[in-house]
């Protein structure tokens, strides 16, 4: 069902938790499965994301997608991160089963929500 | 969204893993979300369940439901365990959001699959 890369990120997810002094925090709930994700980001004076952490009650695919997505956005500018689609996250993971595509949407939308929160504060 | 009992079982799930010398092993996949659960049970000579463990890639609600369900069936006869419905699991958890009811069905069906596997072998 899941490839090795997805299993690896599920078993040992990166960037789990919450940044204490976050510059932006966003939450998104999936209309498909009801699962929630919270994303917190740290942004420097050049609008570059220097840290990202997620918390979720969602499934293994949501965990793997968010682990990969946070790895991807750390080092990006907020503009670049806003363009990160769940399609790109899935590509980087080497694919997800069709029925689990919606889980990767959690990561994409939670990142956008965190960036909007950051933008509103700055 | 989730009550304290659900959160407690999610954060510190009981009976996670796989029984090495299991008497019955069952797997069930949810048609709703695509998540899978494997249940293994140990049964004594009096048809009493002495151990149960689960493995899942599913969400927090699936984990909490299975943690509670395995606690409930350990000490039951296989006949009693066959009658454990997801409704009873949810009651014992103090409730689940409507959109997450299908996650508790994973536990019920995986237990039934493990018991059928045991029955076929005996
Ligand atoms: S099924 Fe809800 S996040 Fe995967």
């Amino acid at each position: 069902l899941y490839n090795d890369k997805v299993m690896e990120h599920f078993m040992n997810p990166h960037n789990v938790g919450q940044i204490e002094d976050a510059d932006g925090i966003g939450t998104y709930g999936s209309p498909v499965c009801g699962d929630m994700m919270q994303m917190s980001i740290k942004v420097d004076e050049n609008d570059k994301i220097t840290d990202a952490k997620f918390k979720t009650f969602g499934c293994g695919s949501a965990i793997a997608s968010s682990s990969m997505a946070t790895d991807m956005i750390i080092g990006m500018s907020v503009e670049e991160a806003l363009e990160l689609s769940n399609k790109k996250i899935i590509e980087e993971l080497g694919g997800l089963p069709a029925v689990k595509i919606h889980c990767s949407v959690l990561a994409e939308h939670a990142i956008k929500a965190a960036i909007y929160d950051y933008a509103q504060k700055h």
Side-chain angles (χ1 to χ4, degrees), chain A residues 13-20 22 24-26 37-41 51-56 66-67 70:
Chain A
H14 309 170
N15 313 311
V16 174
Q18 186 175 353
I19 299 172
E20 284 308 317
I25 297 185
M37 178 164 303
Q38 188 210 67
M39 183 75 61
S40 53
I41 54 172
D51 200 8
K53 287 196 191 300
F54 73 94
K55 282 203 312 198
T56 186
S66 318
S67 171
T70 47

Side-chain angles (χ1 to χ4, degrees), chain A residues 30 32-37 56-63 99-100 102-104 106:
Chain A
S30 166
V32 180
C33 64
D35 287 316
M36 304 267 296
M37 178 164 303
T56 186
F57 205 68
C59 74
S61 299
I63 293 168
V99 72
K100 303 265 82 184
H102 74 269
C103 311
S104 64
L106 272 180

